[in-house]
Amino acid sequence: MKIAFHGAARAVTGSKHLITLKNNTQILLDCGMFQGMGEVTEKLNSYFGFEPSNISFVILSHAHIDHCGLLPRLVAGGFKGIIYATPATMDLTRILLMDSAKIQEQDAAYMNRKRKEHEAVEKPLYTEDDVIKTLGLFKVVNYNEDFKINEELTLHFTDAGHILGSAAVHLTINEDDRFKRITFSGDVGRYDDLLLKSPQRFDQSDYIIMESTYGDSLHKDLDPIEDMLLNIIKNTCLVKKGKVIIPAFSVGRTQELLYALNGLSLKNELPDLSIYVDSPLSIEATEVLKNHPEVYNSEVKKVLKVDDDIFNFKGLKFIESVEESKSLNSDPRPCVIISASGMAEGGRIRHHIKNNIGNKKNTILMVGYAEPNSLGGKLLAGDKSVYLFRENYDVLAEVASIKSMSAHGDYEDLLHFLACQDPSKVKQLFLVHGEYEVQQNFAVKLKEQGFKHVSIPEYHQEYEI
Ligand SMILES: [Zn+2]
């Protein structure tokens, strides 16, 4: 059989890995969108490197757009097979893809309004109709279940602890009466997440496709997340009378923040302030999480016994309309604003950053991974001036970060994830979903652990296995 890497190859977005069996069955692992790659993004998203109608099945690791965001495009291109995912991933994918289609349609409409007569009409990458067709192809498979797709293929999901519903994918493939086991890690979470369970152990694999986002860094903080959050809020809002602006992904970090703030509120430590969640998608994602309590870790289950609404507390306000969002600009009172996206590459957060970056009273608090070229990445790197909405802005606000609030494990977590494997039995380990330099450093660590054959595939590279 063959395996080819059509995205997240020496990069962190566009996750797409294709397994082709001798009988031409094609199994696509994830169908993610490329994001934040500058001018080439559009080109990357319009070319798969394979024929959608030839794909037999898709197996989806989790609902982040860089893993599922091109599914509607695959369906529009002729894919008619089944998409396998966990139940929570299916629920989250529904709201994220509908939101993504809305953005695609709005962007195309905006470009067409600006279009000169001789220019071609801009078409959205996909529409809400394409998303509806896509959702009809989903079939759910629970964690820890051996699900027989056909005579040759058995699928098994284990919890990857990354976001609600996230899974590591394990395929047992019978080809010519020889069994091969392939594991795709998806994105791997941390072993001490506030909300989610830790990534699970899994049976021995022959081939492993492994994410490597934080393959060469550690992000344990010295203090607990709640303490760091409280210090930043007190210092900014009570001492300096400013605002705390937090870019956070709608799915995952926003709920983790709300849970931490709720914990402070339960202990009566949270100052009397308005805390806004300004992202309609975050509101929907919080509801989906509430509907899947099976993903919570044991600590959360204890809190649920004394507080049945762990994402809600005094002072919290959810903002839906654009008007309400804009009205926050003119309100001088200290407050906390949580808004998407996490890398500050799009969404309402960019307006809040623009309006607050020029005042040293304020703090911009980063709480997760930000691709180095994104606005969030530049702020994290300490840039003194940033470009947004076609203007340069001096960074006068304080920039803080809580590194351990990442959905991705650091390299110790990644090695922990692989610790259940006998490295001498792993025939090949492919590193995906990471910057190339990081992957090279991670490969050294893996070799030290005894994984002899570590490969870092290039975009569209194919291997015979
Ligand atoms: Zn992810």
Side-chain angles (χ1 to χ4, degrees), residues 30-31 58 60-65 67-72 83-101 126 131-132 134-136 138 140 163-166 251 281 284-285 288 292:
D30 286 352
C31 190
V58 175
L60 182 58
S61 67
H62 66 289
H64 274 149
I65 286 294
H67 292 258
C68 76
L70 285 189
L71 281 172
I83 302 165
Y84 295 100
T86 64
T89 291
M90 187 182 82
D91 289 351
L92 265 187
T93 303
R94 178 183 301 128
I95 61 167
L96 286 172
L97 285 183
M98 285 308 255
D99 181 72
S100 174
Y126 50 82
V131 173
I132 291 164
T134 305
L135 296 171
F138 270 75
V140 297
I163 58 165
L164 169 67
S166 66
V251 175
L281 188 58
E284 284 184 78
V288 175
H292 287 279

Side-chain angles (χ1 to χ4, degrees), residues 62 64 66-67 162-163 187 408 433:
H62 66 289
H64 274 149
D66 63 322
H67 292 258
H162 168 65
I163 58 165
D187 285 356
H408 286 272
H433 206 287

Side-chain angles (χ1 to χ4, degrees), residues 359-376:
N359 192 328
K360 60 181 191 315
K361 287 196 304 191
N362 302 324
T363 301
I364 299 169
L365 172 60
M366 301 299 300
V367 289
Y369 178 78
E371 205 270 330
N373 289 315
S374 64
L375 175 58

